[in-house]
Amino acid sequence: MHVCVLGAGIIGLSTAYELTQRGHQVTVIDRAAPAAGASGGNGAQLSYSYVQPLADPSIWAQLPKLLFSPSSALKIKPQWDTRQWVWVWQFLQACNTEQSPKTTAELLTLAAQSRQVFDAMRERENMHCDFSASGKLVLFRNEATFAAARQQMLLQKQLGGQAQLAVSASEACAIEPALAHQQNDFSGAIYTDSECAADCKQVCEALAQILTARGAALRWGQAFRQWVPKGDRLAAVQLDPGEEVSADAFVLCTGHTAPALAAPLGVRLPVYPLKGYSITVATDGTGLAPKVNITDSARKIVFARLGQRLRAAGMVELVGQDASVQSRRIQTLQQATQALFPDCSRYTDIQPWAGMRPATPTGLPIIGHQGGPRNLFINAGQGALGFTLAFGSAVQLADALG
Protein backbone atom coordinates (compact mmCIF):
# COMPACT_ATOMS: atom_id res chain seq x y z
CA MET A 1 0.00 0.00 0.00
CA HIS A 2 1.19 3.53 -0.77
CA VAL A 3 0.65 5.80 2.24
CA CYS A 4 1.08 9.56 2.16
CA VAL A 5 2.07 11.02 5.55
CA LEU A 6 1.56 14.75 6.00
CA GLY A 7 3.91 16.19 8.61
CA ALA A 8 7.61 15.66 9.33
CA GLY A 9 7.72 16.15 13.06
CA ILE A 10 8.35 13.27 15.42
CA ILE A 11 4.75 12.02 15.03
CA GLY A 12 4.84 11.99 11.24
CA LEU A 13 8.33 10.53 10.90
CA SER A 14 7.82 7.81 13.52
CA THR A 15 4.57 6.92 11.74
CA ALA A 16 6.35 6.76 8.38
CA TYR A 17 9.08 4.60 9.90
CA GLU A 18 6.57 2.14 11.38
CA LEU A 19 4.73 1.92 8.05
CA THR A 20 7.94 1.09 6.20
CA GLN A 21 8.66 -1.55 8.84
CA ARG A 22 5.41 -3.18 7.76
CA GLY A 23 6.29 -3.07 4.08
CA HIS A 24 4.28 -0.04 2.95
CA GLN A 25 5.50 2.45 0.38
CA VAL A 26 5.61 5.88 2.01
CA THR A 27 5.68 9.51 0.91
CA VAL A 28 6.25 12.17 3.58
CA ILE A 29 5.24 15.77 2.84
CA ASP A 30 6.02 18.87 4.87
CA ARG A 31 6.13 22.57 4.07
CA ALA A 32 9.41 22.82 6.02
CA ALA A 33 12.32 20.60 7.07
CA PRO A 34 12.10 17.69 9.54
CA ALA A 35 11.41 18.82 13.13
CA ALA A 36 10.90 22.43 12.04
CA GLY A 37 7.86 22.74 14.33
CA ALA A 38 7.11 21.52 17.85
CA SER A 39 9.68 18.70 17.62
CA GLY A 40 12.64 21.00 17.08
CA GLY A 41 13.29 22.27 20.58
CA ASN A 42 10.93 20.47 22.92
CA GLY A 43 11.65 19.56 26.54
CA ALA A 44 13.58 16.42 25.48
CA GLN A 45 12.31 14.38 28.43
CA LEU A 46 10.83 10.96 27.72
CA SER A 47 8.29 10.82 30.55
CA TYR A 48 7.17 7.24 30.23
CA SER A 49 6.17 6.84 33.87
CA TYR A 50 5.12 10.34 34.93
CA VAL A 51 2.26 11.15 32.58
CA GLN A 52 -0.13 13.19 34.72
CA PRO A 53 -2.42 14.97 32.23
CA LEU A 54 -2.70 18.75 32.21
CA ALA A 55 -6.47 18.30 32.64
CA ASP A 56 -6.39 17.48 36.34
CA PRO A 57 -8.87 18.33 39.15
CA SER A 58 -6.16 20.36 40.92
CA ILE A 59 -6.37 22.95 38.11
CA TRP A 60 -9.51 24.46 39.67
CA ALA A 61 -7.69 25.50 42.85
CA GLN A 62 -4.74 26.80 40.83
CA LEU A 63 -6.79 28.84 38.34
CA PRO A 64 -6.66 32.24 40.12
CA LYS A 65 -2.86 32.14 40.36
CA LEU A 66 -2.44 30.69 36.90
CA LEU A 67 -4.62 33.33 35.30
CA PHE A 68 -3.65 36.44 37.22
CA SER A 69 -0.13 36.03 38.60
CA PRO A 70 2.50 37.96 36.56
CA SER A 71 4.89 35.04 37.01
CA SER A 72 2.33 32.41 35.94
CA ALA A 73 3.47 29.70 33.53
CA LEU A 74 0.02 29.96 31.89
CA LYS A 75 -0.98 32.79 29.58
CA ILE A 76 -4.27 33.13 27.72
CA LYS A 77 -4.68 35.73 25.01
CA PRO A 78 -8.34 35.70 23.93
CA GLN A 79 -8.78 35.24 20.19
CA TRP A 80 -11.65 35.93 17.81
CA ASP A 81 -11.75 32.18 17.35
CA THR A 82 -14.52 30.01 18.75
CA ARG A 83 -12.17 27.02 18.66
CA GLN A 84 -10.12 28.54 21.47
CA TRP A 85 -13.13 29.03 23.73
CA VAL A 86 -14.59 25.61 22.93
CA TRP A 87 -11.23 23.99 23.68
CA VAL A 88 -10.88 25.81 27.02
CA TRP A 89 -14.43 24.84 28.00
CA GLN A 90 -13.83 21.18 27.09
CA PHE A 91 -10.52 21.24 28.94
CA LEU A 92 -12.12 22.52 32.14
CA GLN A 93 -14.84 19.89 31.84
CA ALA A 94 -12.11 17.24 31.66
CA CYS A 95 -10.57 18.47 34.94
CA ASN A 96 -12.52 16.04 37.11
CA THR A 97 -11.88 12.99 39.24
CA GLU A 98 -13.35 10.60 36.66
CA GLN A 99 -11.61 11.71 33.48
CA SER A 100 -8.13 12.34 34.90
CA PRO A 101 -7.48 8.76 36.18
CA LYS A 102 -8.89 7.33 32.94
CA THR A 103 -6.59 9.55 30.89
CA THR A 104 -3.61 8.63 33.09
CA ALA A 105 -4.26 4.91 32.58
CA GLU A 106 -4.46 5.24 28.79
CA LEU A 107 -1.36 7.43 28.62
CA LEU A 108 0.64 5.00 30.74
CA THR A 109 -0.28 2.13 28.41
CA LEU A 110 0.62 4.13 25.31
CA ALA A 111 3.85 5.40 26.90
CA ALA A 112 4.96 1.88 27.84
CA GLN A 113 4.37 0.72 24.28
CA SER A 114 6.25 3.74 22.96
CA ARG A 115 9.25 3.04 25.19
CA GLN A 116 9.50 -0.53 23.95
CA VAL A 117 9.28 0.46 20.28
CA PHE A 118 11.69 3.41 20.57
CA ASP A 119 14.28 1.37 22.46
CA ALA A 120 14.13 -1.42 19.87
CA MET A 121 14.37 1.07 16.99
CA ARG A 122 17.40 2.86 18.47
CA GLU A 123 19.23 -0.41 18.92
CA ARG A 124 18.25 -1.72 15.51
CA GLU A 125 19.28 1.46 13.70
CA ASN A 126 22.28 2.30 15.92
CA MET A 127 20.83 5.78 16.32
CA HIS A 128 22.82 8.58 17.96
CA CYS A 129 20.55 11.20 19.55
CA ASP A 130 22.14 12.20 22.89
CA PHE A 131 20.02 9.54 24.57
CA SER A 132 20.35 9.04 28.33
CA ALA A 133 18.53 6.93 30.91
CA SER A 134 19.59 8.74 34.06
CA GLY A 135 16.17 9.01 35.72
CA LYS A 136 13.94 11.93 36.66
CA LEU A 137 13.21 14.02 39.74
CA VAL A 138 10.00 16.05 39.98
CA LEU A 139 10.52 18.75 42.61
CA PHE A 140 7.74 20.08 44.85
CA ARG A 141 8.20 23.31 46.77
CA ASN A 142 5.53 22.83 49.45
CA GLU A 143 4.05 19.94 51.37
CA ALA A 144 0.55 20.28 49.88
CA THR A 145 1.70 19.78 46.29
CA PHE A 146 4.10 17.05 47.38
CA ALA A 147 1.24 15.19 49.10
CA ALA A 148 -0.89 15.44 45.95
CA ALA A 149 2.04 14.11 43.91
CA ARG A 150 2.37 11.12 46.22
CA GLN A 151 -1.31 10.32 45.59
CA GLN A 152 -0.74 10.55 41.84
CA MET A 153 2.27 8.27 42.23
CA LEU A 154 0.14 5.66 43.99
CA LEU A 155 -2.50 5.91 41.25
CA GLN A 156 0.11 5.37 38.54
CA LYS A 157 1.53 2.40 40.46
CA GLN A 158 -1.94 0.84 40.64
CA LEU A 159 -2.31 1.39 36.90
CA GLY A 160 0.91 -0.47 36.16
CA GLY A 161 3.37 2.41 35.93
CA GLN A 162 7.11 2.00 36.53
CA ALA A 163 8.39 2.04 40.11
CA GLN A 164 8.61 5.52 41.62
CA LEU A 165 9.82 6.79 44.97
CA ALA A 166 8.79 9.75 47.09
CA VAL A 167 12.07 11.17 48.42
CA SER A 168 12.96 13.96 50.82
CA ALA A 169 14.82 17.07 49.72
CA SER A 170 18.09 15.72 51.09
CA GLU A 171 17.57 12.38 49.33
CA ALA A 172 16.85 14.21 46.07
CA CYS A 173 20.12 16.13 46.44
CA ALA A 174 21.98 12.87 46.99
CA ILE A 175 20.49 11.56 43.73
CA GLU A 176 21.35 14.78 41.89
CA PRO A 177 24.17 16.73 43.60
CA ALA A 178 23.63 19.74 41.32
CA LEU A 179 20.54 20.51 43.45
CA ALA A 180 22.44 20.69 46.74
CA HIS A 181 22.29 24.48 47.09
CA GLN A 182 18.47 24.31 46.62
CA GLN A 183 17.81 21.72 49.32
CA ASN A 184 15.99 24.13 51.64
CA ASP A 185 13.78 25.45 48.85
CA PHE A 186 11.67 22.36 48.22
CA SER A 187 9.79 19.83 50.36
CA GLY A 188 10.51 16.67 48.43
CA ALA A 189 10.46 14.98 45.05
CA ILE A 190 9.14 12.02 43.10
CA TYR A 191 12.01 9.99 41.67
CA THR A 192 11.74 7.59 38.74
CA ASP A 193 15.04 5.92 37.94
CA SER A 194 13.87 4.58 34.57
CA GLU A 195 13.05 7.89 32.87
CA CYS A 196 15.02 9.01 29.82
CA ALA A 197 15.90 11.95 27.60
CA ALA A 198 17.00 12.42 24.00
CA ASP A 199 17.29 15.11 21.34
CA CYS A 200 14.03 14.91 19.40
CA LYS A 201 15.39 16.90 16.47
CA GLN A 202 18.30 14.49 16.09
CA VAL A 203 15.84 11.58 16.16
CA CYS A 204 13.75 13.22 13.41
CA GLU A 205 16.80 13.87 11.25
CA ALA A 206 17.99 10.29 11.70
CA LEU A 207 14.55 8.92 10.81
CA ALA A 208 14.54 11.04 7.64
CA GLN A 209 17.88 9.53 6.62
CA ILE A 210 16.64 6.00 7.36
CA LEU A 211 13.46 6.57 5.36
CA THR A 212 15.46 7.90 2.41
CA ALA A 213 17.66 4.80 2.50
CA ARG A 214 14.53 2.64 2.47
CA GLY A 215 13.25 4.33 -0.67
CA ALA A 216 10.59 6.57 0.89
CA ALA A 217 9.84 9.81 -0.95
CA LEU A 218 10.48 12.83 1.28
CA ARG A 219 9.00 16.07 -0.02
CA TRP A 220 10.25 19.07 1.95
CA GLY A 221 9.30 22.69 1.30
CA GLN A 222 6.00 21.85 -0.36
CA ALA A 223 2.90 23.34 1.22
CA PHE A 224 -0.52 21.71 1.26
CA ARG A 225 -3.07 23.34 -1.06
CA GLN A 226 -6.13 21.10 -1.06
CA TRP A 227 -7.46 17.56 -1.01
CA VAL A 228 -8.49 15.76 -4.18
CA PRO A 229 -11.49 13.57 -3.29
CA LYS A 230 -12.93 10.73 -5.34
CA GLY A 231 -16.21 9.32 -4.14
CA ASP A 232 -15.95 8.40 -0.48
CA ARG A 233 -12.15 8.36 -0.57
CA LEU A 234 -9.22 10.69 -1.20
CA ALA A 235 -7.45 10.27 -4.52
CA ALA A 236 -4.60 12.70 -3.93
CA VAL A 237 -3.33 15.74 -2.12
CA GLN A 238 -2.55 18.86 -4.14
CA LEU A 239 0.54 20.85 -3.24
CA ASP A 240 1.75 24.29 -4.21
CA PRO A 241 2.23 25.12 -7.04
CA GLY A 242 -0.38 22.57 -8.16
CA GLU A 243 1.36 19.19 -8.20
CA GLU A 244 -0.73 16.24 -7.03
CA VAL A 245 0.51 13.30 -4.96
CA SER A 246 -1.76 10.27 -5.14
CA ALA A 247 -1.80 7.45 -2.59
CA ASP A 248 -3.94 4.61 -1.26
CA ALA A 249 -4.20 6.17 2.21
CA PHE A 250 -3.39 9.52 3.84
CA VAL A 251 -2.23 10.12 7.42
CA LEU A 252 -2.55 13.61 8.87
CA CYS A 253 0.30 14.26 11.34
CA THR A 254 0.56 18.04 11.11
CA GLY A 255 0.15 18.83 14.79
CA HIS A 256 -1.73 22.01 15.62
CA THR A 257 -2.61 22.65 11.95
CA ALA A 258 -4.37 19.29 11.59
CA PRO A 259 -7.85 20.72 12.40
CA ALA A 260 -7.62 23.26 9.58
CA LEU A 261 -6.57 20.59 7.07
CA ALA A 262 -9.24 18.13 8.21
CA ALA A 263 -12.13 20.62 8.36
CA PRO A 264 -12.81 20.80 4.58
CA LEU A 265 -13.41 17.05 4.69
CA GLY A 266 -16.02 17.37 7.42
CA VAL A 267 -13.69 16.06 10.14
CA ARG A 268 -13.61 18.07 13.38
CA LEU A 269 -10.53 17.61 15.54
CA PRO A 270 -10.47 19.05 19.11
CA VAL A 271 -6.81 20.05 18.85
CA TYR A 272 -5.50 23.48 19.85
CA PRO A 273 -1.91 24.80 20.04
CA LEU A 274 -0.36 25.22 23.48
CA LYS A 275 2.67 27.38 22.87
CA GLY A 276 5.82 26.49 24.76
CA TYR A 277 9.38 27.78 24.97
CA SER A 278 12.83 26.36 25.50
CA ILE A 279 16.43 27.40 25.80
CA THR A 280 19.50 25.25 25.22
CA VAL A 281 22.82 26.13 26.88
CA ALA A 282 26.25 24.56 26.67
CA THR A 283 27.45 22.74 29.79
CA ASP A 284 31.00 23.87 29.19
CA GLY A 285 32.71 22.17 32.11
CA THR A 286 33.03 25.26 34.29
CA GLY A 287 30.66 23.95 36.93
CA LEU A 288 28.08 21.39 37.96
CA ALA A 289 25.39 20.39 35.47
CA PRO A 290 22.58 17.96 36.32
CA LYS A 291 22.71 14.45 34.90
CA VAL A 292 19.23 13.50 36.11
CA ASN A 293 16.18 14.96 34.35
CA ILE A 294 14.54 17.59 36.54
CA THR A 295 11.00 18.98 36.59
CA ASP A 296 10.33 22.06 38.71
CA SER A 297 6.60 21.59 39.31
CA ALA A 298 6.08 25.07 40.74
CA ARG A 299 7.62 26.86 37.78
CA LYS A 300 6.28 24.28 35.28
CA ILE A 301 9.77 23.98 33.76
CA VAL A 302 11.59 20.80 32.75
CA PHE A 303 15.34 20.31 32.44
CA ALA A 304 17.07 17.61 30.40
CA ARG A 305 20.75 16.88 29.84
CA LEU A 306 21.60 16.35 26.15
CA GLY A 307 25.26 15.39 25.95
CA GLN A 308 27.18 18.58 26.64
CA ARG A 309 24.03 20.72 26.59
CA LEU A 310 21.18 21.46 28.99
CA ARG A 311 17.66 21.99 27.69
CA ALA A 312 15.15 23.96 29.77
CA ALA A 313 11.55 24.10 28.54
CA GLY A 314 8.18 25.19 29.81
CA MET A 315 5.25 27.63 29.70
CA VAL A 316 1.73 27.10 28.37
CA GLU A 317 0.29 29.87 26.23
CA LEU A 318 -3.06 29.88 24.46
CA VAL A 319 -2.33 32.67 22.01
CA GLY A 320 -3.72 31.36 18.74
CA GLN A 321 -1.21 30.72 15.96
CA ASP A 322 1.46 33.17 17.20
CA ALA A 323 4.69 31.15 17.13
CA SER A 324 7.01 34.11 17.72
CA VAL A 325 9.76 33.87 20.36
CA GLN A 326 8.91 36.30 23.16
CA SER A 327 12.04 37.64 24.86
CA ARG A 328 10.31 37.94 28.24
CA ARG A 329 9.54 34.22 28.29
CA ILE A 330 13.08 33.34 27.26
CA GLN A 331 14.40 35.56 30.05
CA THR A 332 12.15 33.75 32.54
CA LEU A 333 13.56 30.40 31.43
CA GLN A 334 17.12 31.67 31.69
CA GLN A 335 16.56 33.09 35.17
CA ALA A 336 14.94 29.85 36.35
CA THR A 337 17.81 27.78 34.93
CA GLN A 338 20.47 29.96 36.49
CA ALA A 339 18.66 29.95 39.83
CA LEU A 340 18.49 26.15 39.91
CA PHE A 341 21.85 25.41 38.25
CA PRO A 342 24.03 28.53 38.59
CA ASP A 343 27.30 26.73 37.93
CA CYS A 344 26.37 24.48 35.03
CA SER A 345 27.16 26.96 32.26
CA ARG A 346 28.64 30.38 31.51
CA TYR A 347 25.23 31.25 30.00
CA THR A 348 26.89 33.21 27.20
CA ASP A 349 25.43 31.16 24.34
CA ILE A 350 21.68 30.66 24.79
CA GLN A 351 19.63 29.14 21.99
CA PRO A 352 15.97 30.25 22.28
CA TRP A 353 13.02 28.43 20.76
CA ALA A 354 9.22 28.48 20.71
CA GLY A 355 6.86 25.81 19.42
CA MET A 356 3.16 25.00 19.20
CA ARG A 357 2.25 21.79 21.02
CA PRO A 358 -0.96 20.24 19.61
CA ALA A 359 -3.19 19.31 22.54
CA THR A 360 -6.62 17.80 23.03
CA PRO A 361 -8.77 18.89 26.01
CA THR A 362 -8.32 15.56 27.81
CA GLY A 363 -4.67 15.03 26.89
CA LEU A 364 -5.43 11.86 24.92
CA PRO A 365 -4.16 11.84 21.33
CA ILE A 366 -6.40 11.25 18.33
CA ILE A 367 -5.26 8.16 16.43
CA GLY A 368 -6.97 6.37 13.55
CA HIS A 369 -9.92 7.02 11.25
CA GLN A 370 -12.11 9.84 12.57
CA GLY A 371 -14.78 10.03 9.89
CA GLY A 372 -14.70 11.72 6.51
CA PRO A 373 -13.02 9.94 3.59
CA ARG A 374 -12.52 6.24 4.27
CA ASN A 375 -8.77 6.39 3.61
CA LEU A 376 -8.01 9.41 5.81
CA PHE A 377 -6.34 8.68 9.15
CA ILE A 378 -5.29 11.01 11.97
CA ASN A 379 -2.30 10.92 14.31
CA ALA A 380 -2.31 14.17 16.29
CA GLY A 381 -2.99 15.78 19.67
CA GLN A 382 -0.14 14.32 21.76
CA GLY A 383 0.46 17.74 23.38
CA ALA A 384 3.52 18.10 25.58
CA LEU A 385 4.01 14.30 25.48
CA GLY A 386 4.55 14.13 21.74
CA PHE A 387 8.09 12.74 21.92
CA THR A 388 7.16 10.35 24.72
CA LEU A 389 4.12 8.93 22.91
CA ALA A 390 5.34 9.11 19.31
CA PHE A 391 6.42 5.54 18.67
CA GLY A 392 3.49 3.96 20.48
CA SER A 393 1.14 6.25 18.55
CA ALA A 394 2.82 5.16 15.30
CA VAL A 395 2.15 1.50 16.10
CA GLN A 396 -1.50 2.19 16.91
CA LEU A 397 -1.91 4.18 13.71
CA ALA A 398 -0.34 1.42 11.63
CA ASP A 399 -2.64 -1.11 13.31
CA ALA A 400 -5.67 1.06 12.45
CA LEU A 401 -4.51 1.34 8.85
CA GLY A 402 -4.37 -2.45 8.58
Side-chain angles (χ1 to χ4, degrees):
M1 182 186 298
H2 180 201
V3 185
C4 180
V5 176
L6 281 76
I10 188 60
I11 300 299
L13 290 170
S14 60
T15 297
Y17 177 86
E18 180 63 28
L19 291 172
T20 62
Q21 282 288 101
R22 302 189 185 199
H24 296 294
Q25 178 187 354
V26 173
T27 296
V28 183
I29 298 171
D30 199 293
R31 61 185 177 184
S39 301
N42 63 18
Q45 291 189 2
L46 292 162
S47 297
Y48 297 121
S49 301
Y50 200 86
V51 296
Q52 183 174 10
L54 184 63
D56 183 83
S58 65
I59 285 291
W60 291 102
Q62 300 176 46
L63 268 181
K65 181 178 179 181
L66 289 173
L67 291 174
F68 302 114
S69 172
S71 61
S72 173
L74 172 67
K75 175 184 177 183
I76 299 179
K77 183 179 180 181
Q79 307 289 306
W80 292 105
D81 181 0
T82 56
R83 292 189 309 114
Q84 183 191 56
W85 296 101
V86 169
W87 190 94
V88 170
W89 173 246
Q90 292 175 338
F91 168 76
L92 291 174
Q93 286 184 311
C95 296
N96 62 73
T97 55
E98 292 183 5
Q99 181 63 53
S100 184
K102 178 183 176 182
T103 300
T104 298
E106 293 190 39
L107 290 177
L108 280 171
T109 299
L110 183 56
Q113 183 180 33
S114 199
R115 178 202 289 268
Q116 182 179 22
V117 177
F118 183 42
D119 286 350
M121 185 277 296
R122 279 194 351 272
E123 183 176 355
R124 181 169 55 246
E125 305 294 349
N126 192 28
M127 181 179 288
H128 300 285
C129 55
D130 281 330
F131 177 83
S132 64
S134 54
K136 176 178 176 177
L137 283 164
V138 183
L139 310 181
F140 298 92
R141 296 191 176 265
N142 61 66
E143 183 53 39
T145 56
F146 188 30
R150 293 195 294 270
Q151 290 300 313
Q152 178 70 13
M153 180 188 71
L154 292 175
L155 169 64
Q156 294 186 167
K157 182 178 180 180
Q158 292 169 2
L159 295 172
Q162 294 288 319
Q164 297 175 312
L165 293 174
V167 298
S168 67
S170 61
E171 289 171 327
C173 292
I175 294 168
E176 178 47 76
L179 294 170
H181 69 288
Q182 289 274 319
Q183 180 171 324
N184 295 328
D185 294 334
F186 61 97
S187 297
I190 301 297
Y191 176 56
T192 312
D193 65 0
S194 59
E195 297 289 63
C196 309
D199 189 321
C200 187
K201 184 177 181 180
Q202 290 181 8
V203 173
C204 288
E205 292 170 345
L207 286 172
Q209 292 179 357
I210 294 166
L211 289 168
T212 298
R214 290 184 173 186
L218 307 184
R219 312 285 291 272
W220 310 143
Q222 295 188 276
F224 171 92
R225 176 181 285 185
Q226 64 182 6
W227 300 105
V228 181
K230 185 177 181 180
D232 61 353
R233 301 173 66 85
L234 292 171
V237 58
Q238 188 179 97
L239 310 175
D240 282 334
E243 178 186 3
E244 292 186 0
V245 177
S246 60
D248 300 308
F250 298 82
V251 185
L252 193 52
C253 305
T254 57
H256 73 281
T257 66
L261 272 62
L265 301 173
V267 178
R268 300 290 180 262
L269 302 177
V271 174
Y272 195 80
L274 303 185
K275 185 178 179 180
Y277 296 85
S278 78
I279 61 172
T280 307
V281 301
T283 57
D284 50 25
T286 61
L288 191 61
K291 294 182 180 179
V292 175
N293 295 327
I294 303 293
T295 295
D296 186 334
S297 64
R299 292 189 173 104
K300 302 292 190 289
I301 297 175
V302 301
F303 303 88
R305 182 75 172 269
L306 298 172
Q308 299 305 309
R309 299 168 294 150
L310 181 66
R311 173 76 50 79
M315 317 296 180
V316 176
E317 293 187 350
L318 282 79
V319 292
Q321 303 298 322
D322 177 13
S324 62
V325 179
Q326 299 294 318
S327 58
R328 186 181 306 175
R329 289 302 213 180
I330 297 301
Q331 185 179 21
T332 297
L333 280 176
Q334 181 179 345
Q335 290 172 344
T337 305
Q338 287 184 268
L340 204 55
F341 307 112
D343 299 321
C344 88
S345 172
R346 293 190 178 94
Y347 293 99
T348 55
D349 180 15
I350 297 174
Q351 301 175 29
W353 175 89
M356 312 298 277
R357 298 167 295 198
T360 64
T362 63
L364 291 172
I366 301 168
I367 303 172
H369 180 64
Q370 302 296 315
R374 292 173 54 193
N375 59 341
L376 174 67
F377 296 81
I378 311 296
N379 191 358
Q382 283 81 3
L385 292 172
F387 192 15
T388 297
L389 303 177
F391 289 87
S393 297
V395 169
Q396 292 193 7
L397 187 284
D399 288 345
L401 191 63

